[in-house]
């Protein structure tokens, strides 16, 4: 089953950098998908179109399930003055029909997400006081609290120590396999993308240049 259907998606910036052209993709249930490509190739633009941050594109994006989204990490996010629990709970806001009040299901979803990401025991700590790796675990838990079907991550290991980055990949793979979670992730780390992903999607100059299994992908320089 396709959880995301993308048909002839096109979006252009005036500078043409980060623009995308005529991209068609289906993201299948239970798969780990990594989007790779050079800076400015259009990877983040594609993600923003999928999650609705960019709306005036041409083509079609069909979401068949609720999506949890983790954007690229910013300094503002790192210094966010809230507890771990509050950050994760905020991920339920898109489907919170009770205004500022979280439902019992929202709280249960947040607790489950924190346990799955190994941050439940630090739920009362201030998010700003955590290490970079812990913060990313919390933000992934936040994305997961919005849905148990598909999460979309934009460079979740950027700026992390290589050992910690490897742990994040291993954790995501475990979640995919254990809960049949669907993952769509932008990654600058081609080596780990090839190791952990079921499917590699390469964007080059705004266009789809590869879409297939990691074993058939040729790293730039080997092509």
């Amino acid at each position: 089953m396709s959880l995301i259907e993308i048909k002839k998606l096109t979006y252009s910036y005036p500078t043409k950098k980060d623009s995308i052209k005529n991209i068609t993709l289906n993201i299948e249930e239970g798969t780990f998908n990594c989007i790779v490509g050079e800076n400015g190739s259009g990877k983040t633009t594609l993600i923003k179109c999928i999650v609705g941050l960019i709306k005036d594109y041409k083509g079609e994006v069909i979401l068949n399930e609720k999506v949890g989204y983790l954007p690229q990490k910013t300094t503002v996010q790192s210094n966010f003055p809230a507890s771990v629990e509050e950050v994760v709970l905020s991920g339920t806001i898109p489907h919170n029909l009770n205004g500022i009040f979280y439902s019992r299901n929202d709280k249960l979803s947040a607790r489950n997400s924190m346990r799955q990401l190994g941050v439940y025991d630090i739920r009362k700590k201030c998010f700003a006081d955590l290490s970079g790796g812990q913060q990313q675990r919390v933000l992934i838990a936040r994305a997961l609290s919005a849905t148990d079907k598909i999460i979309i991550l934009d460079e979740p290991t950027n700026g992390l120590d290589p050992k910690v980055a490897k742990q994040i990949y291993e954790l995501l793979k475990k979640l995919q396999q254990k809960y049949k979670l669907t993952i769509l992730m932008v990654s600058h780390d081609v080596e780990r993308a090839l190791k952990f992903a079921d499917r590699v999607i390469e964007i080059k100059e705004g266009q789809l240049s590869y879409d297939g299994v990691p074993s058939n992908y040729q790293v730039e320089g080997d092509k």
Side-chain angles (χ1 to χ4, degrees):
M1 175 183 173
S2 294
L3 300 190
I4 300 175
E5 299 173 55
I6 303 165
K7 301 177 182 179
K8 298 183 178 180
L9 186 64
T10 298
Y11 181 81
S12 296
Y13 292 99
T15 60
K16 293 189 178 180
K17 186 179 180 181
D18 294 310
S19 298
I20 53 175
K21 183 179 179 182
N22 201 33
I23 291 179
T24 295
L25 289 169
N26 284 344
I27 303 302
E28 301 299 325
E29 184 176 13
T31 57
F32 193 149
N33 308 269
C34 275
I35 302 174
V36 300
E38 295 180 355
N39 290 338
S41 62
K43 303 184 301 296
T44 294
T45 300
L46 172 60
I47 293 300
K48 287 182 175 180
C49 289
I50 293 172
V51 300
L53 293 177
I54 293 175
K55 298 182 183 296
D56 54 337
Y57 53 77
K58 295 179 182 178
E60 191 173 12
V61 175
I62 301 170
L63 300 179
N64 294 317
E65 287 288 349
K66 292 176 182 176
V67 168
Y69 173 52
L70 173 57
Q72 287 189 33
K73 194 174 179 182
T74 64
T75 302
V76 172
Q77 284 177 320
S78 298
N79 297 324
F80 198 61
S83 71
V84 166
E85 190 170 36
E86 289 169 331
V87 171
V88 176
L89 260 173
S90 70
T92 67
I93 288 175
H95 52 81
N96 185 352
L97 303 178
N98 300 311
I100 62 172
F101 300 104
Y102 294 110
S103 69
R104 182 180 177 183
N105 284 341
D106 291 335
K107 294 176 181 178
L108 180 61
S109 177
R111 276 199 301 271
N112 287 340
S113 296
M114 286 187 286
R115 287 193 176 101
Q116 289 167 14
L117 271 296
V119 295
Y120 184 77
D121 290 344
I122 59 170
R123 64 191 181 281
K124 300 301 180 183
K125 286 191 175 182
C126 180
F127 179 77
D129 293 338
L130 304 181
S131 68
Q134 287 175 320
Q135 286 187 345
Q136 284 304 82
R137 282 175 176 259
V138 171
L139 293 174
I140 294 170
R142 181 184 184 275
L144 197 57
S145 71
T147 175
D148 61 355
K149 292 294 184 182
I150 179 167
I151 56 173
I152 297 178
L153 315 169
D154 194 352
E155 299 278 16
T157 62
N158 196 23
L160 296 181
D161 177 90
K163 182 179 179 180
V164 177
K166 180 174 180 285
Q167 290 171 352
I168 294 293
Y169 272 91
E170 289 172 342
L171 180 59
L172 289 170
K173 190 67 179 180
K174 181 180 177 181
L175 290 172
Q176 178 221 353
Q177 294 175 334
K178 186 174 181 179
Y179 300 104
K180 296 184 179 178
L181 181 68
T182 305
I183 298 169
L184 178 60
M185 172 173 151
V186 171
S187 177
H188 68 282
D189 190 340
V190 176
E191 182 179 345
R192 287 206 173 92
L194 294 176
K195 181 178 179 180
F196 289 94
D198 303 314
R199 176 187 185 190
V200 172
I201 299 161
E202 183 184 57
I203 307 295
K204 189 172 184 179
E205 296 180 353
Q207 295 182 294
L208 191 64
S209 63
Y210 181 83
D211 179 12
V213 295
S215 58
N216 289 338
Y217 178 77
Q218 289 184 297
V219 179
E220 195 68 39
D222 296 336
K223 296 180 180 180

